[in-house]
Amino acid sequence: MLKYPFSVYNFTVNSYHSDKNGKLSLSSLFHFLQECAWDNARLNDFGYEFLKSENAFWVLSRMLVQIDEYPKWKDEIEIKTWPKGSDGFFALRDFEIYKNGNVIGRATSSWLILDMNTHRPQKLDRFNFIHENFLQENAIDIKLGKINTGSELKCLEKRKVYYSDLDVNQHVNNATYVRWVLDSHFSDENGDFISEVEINFISELMLNDQFQVFKSENNQDLMYYLKNLEDKEICKIRLQIKNA
């Protein structure tokens, strides 16, 4: 049985979590969500430390975040997270983001456990993940799938992975991909509001790896596509934009 079917975490939006408009940045939000996921997994005995002892580690594979309101600098928020079972090799986890007791955002995600040596997906039942008391709740009632980026891709820039981009697993943290995409092309000078972010992580980037950022557009969605210099897929990101 899960010891903690859900957990609630409190965060203050500090200056270093904020963008140029004084609101919580997308990359900081992804850091918050990851911290909640990692700690709830730790409390339930399938977290980072346990997996490391089993020569394995968690990676985020897919995520969809929907945002109604961005909290401002100095705001207090709460994030509720819960594991909600599995789908094959994928461990499923949802989130709700609260400000003053109201839901201002929600997310759903799919995670994989990889072998530390081979980086191949592992069966979840080997790692104390399968339980009977998962919460049967959906923050977003959707099954995450593959993102289609479109056929006409425009190359925006070439980048390199630096030391500061790496996390404790020695690869690029998921929040860094969000920051790269916003750095590459997105502009909110016209008051554009990112209401939805969807990500597919396909392969890893390591220290000193070089890659390119591509973009295509589909109605109100901006589609981004990262590939290494050998044309291998790295990541796909979809941003849904609304006029503020």
Side-chain angles (χ1 to χ4, degrees):
M1 301 289 285
L2 288 172
K3 298 177 184 177
Y4 295 86
F6 69 91
S7 297
V8 178
Y9 299 91
N10 298 302
F11 295 93
T12 299
V13 180
N14 294 308
S15 59
Y16 49 87
H17 299 134
S18 306
D19 62 15
K20 68 183 183 66
N21 298 311
K23 296 184 178 180
L24 179 65
S25 69
L26 266 179
S27 58
S28 292
L29 175 58
F30 271 75
H31 280 302
F32 287 176
L33 296 175
Q34 177 174 284
E35 197 65 25
C36 295
W38 282 22
D39 193 67
N40 178 259
R42 177 189 63 82
L43 292 172
N44 285 306
D45 300 322
F46 47 75
Y48 170 82
E49 293 82 1
F50 172 71
L51 262 62
K52 186 176 181 181
S53 71
E54 298 292 322
N55 201 45
F57 61 98
W58 284 109
V59 294
L60 179 61
S61 179
R62 298 170 181 171
M63 178 172 267
L64 172 62
V65 181
Q66 296 176 343
I67 305 163
D68 302 326
E69 175 189 344
Y70 284 88
K72 304 181 187 69
W73 177 28
K74 301 180 182 180
D75 279 349
E76 304 281 341
I77 63 171
E78 292 182 335
I79 299 179
K80 176 182 177 181
T81 185
W82 61 97
K84 61 175 190 177
S86 60
D87 181 14
F89 283 91
F90 292 109
L92 309 179
R93 175 176 291 277
D94 278 14
F95 306 81
E96 288 179 336
I97 306 162
Y98 295 83
K99 175 185 165 186
N100 298 326
N102 299 313
V103 176
I104 62 170
R106 60 206 65 79
T108 188
S109 59
S110 303
W111 302 71
L112 293 169
I113 294 177
L114 302 186
D115 180 90
M116 201 170 290
N117 297 323
T118 66
H119 287 206
R120 300 289 298 173
Q122 304 297 297
K123 291 184 178 180
L124 297 173
D125 56 8
R126 291 183 48 211
F127 299 94
N128 195 36
F129 184 77
I130 306 303
H131 294 274
E132 297 177 357
N133 62 325
F134 287 118
L135 286 185
Q136 300 301 309
E137 297 179 11
N138 295 311
I140 303 175
D141 190 8
I142 189 172
K143 181 176 179 178
L144 296 178
K146 294 182 179 180
I147 297 174
N148 296 317
T149 55
S151 56
E152 295 185 12
L153 296 174
K154 176 184 178 182
C155 184
L156 301 179
E157 66 174 328
K158 179 179 175 181
R159 300 190 70 141
K160 179 181 177 180
V161 178
Y162 291 99
Y163 175 81
S164 60
D165 296 320
L166 304 181
D167 63 14
V168 295
N169 290 324
Q170 304 300 310
H171 64 196
V172 177
N173 185 271
N174 63 77
T176 302
Y177 292 88
V178 176
R179 174 170 56 81
W180 283 340
V181 161
L182 297 186
D183 285 347
S184 291
H185 198 265
F186 180 77
S187 171
D188 63 354
E189 295 301 324
N190 296 320
D192 291 334
F193 179 95
I194 301 176
S195 60
E196 195 165 285
V197 185
E198 184 176 7
I199 300 184
N200 288 172
F201 294 101
I202 302 165
S203 58
E204 295 176 289
L205 284 171
M206 313 298 284
L207 183 63
N208 295 323
D209 283 350
Q210 296 185 66
F211 62 96
Q212 293 176 300
V213 182
F214 297 84
K215 179 188 176 185
S216 65
E217 296 187 25
N218 179 17
N219 297 323
Q220 290 295 99
D221 293 345
L222 302 179
M223 318 293 286
Y224 294 88
Y225 188 30
L226 276 62
K227 297 195 295 183
N228 67 16
L229 300 189
E230 287 72 44
D231 208 39
K232 183 178 181 181
E233 297 180 354
I234 303 297
C235 175
K236 296 179 181 180
I237 298 181
R238 177 181 64 83
L239 304 181
Q240 186 175 97
I241 309 300
K242 290 184 179 179
N243 295 118

